[in-house]
Amino acid sequence: MAAYTLLQLIEVAAASAILLVGIRTHSAPVALLGGALLLAKALVNILWPEGGSVYRRSLIGYAVGGIFFIGANILVHFTG
């Protein structure tokens, strides 16, 4: 197994654990953080066929994940 593949598996496991902790503790911000990290990781892999470096794809993916996290927390704050 390549080192990059192992790193991706570890990232997904960590983000999934954060999501599950947030769900178990009924903490919306923690659950949203786990979801945002999984969204970011998915975007990094979705952008792979488009080309570009892993740094460029990571920047785009994690920026979108961060925007999702902030927007969703604002939504939860005003509706919860």
Side-chain angles (χ1 to χ4, degrees):
M1 178 181 313
Y4 182 70
T5 303
L6 181 60
L7 176 63
Q8 285 191 335
L9 290 172
I10 291 169
E11 284 183 72
V12 169
S16 299
I18 293 169
L19 177 64
L20 290 175
V21 166
I23 291 170
R24 276 301 279 158
T25 61
H26 303 285
S27 174
V30 176
L32 288 171
L33 177 61
L37 290 170
L38 287 172
L39 172 67
K41 192 61 176 158
L43 286 173
V44 169
N45 289 320
I46 289 168
L47 291 173
W48 174 74
E50 300 296 322
S53 69
V54 69
Y55 300 112
R56 178 184 158 274
R57 292 183 286 128
S58 294
L59 183 63
I60 293 168
Y62 285 100
V64 171
I67 292 167
F68 169 81
F69 175 71
I70 292 168
N73 270 312
I74 292 169
L75 185 65
V76 166
H77 176 75
F78 287 114
T79 61

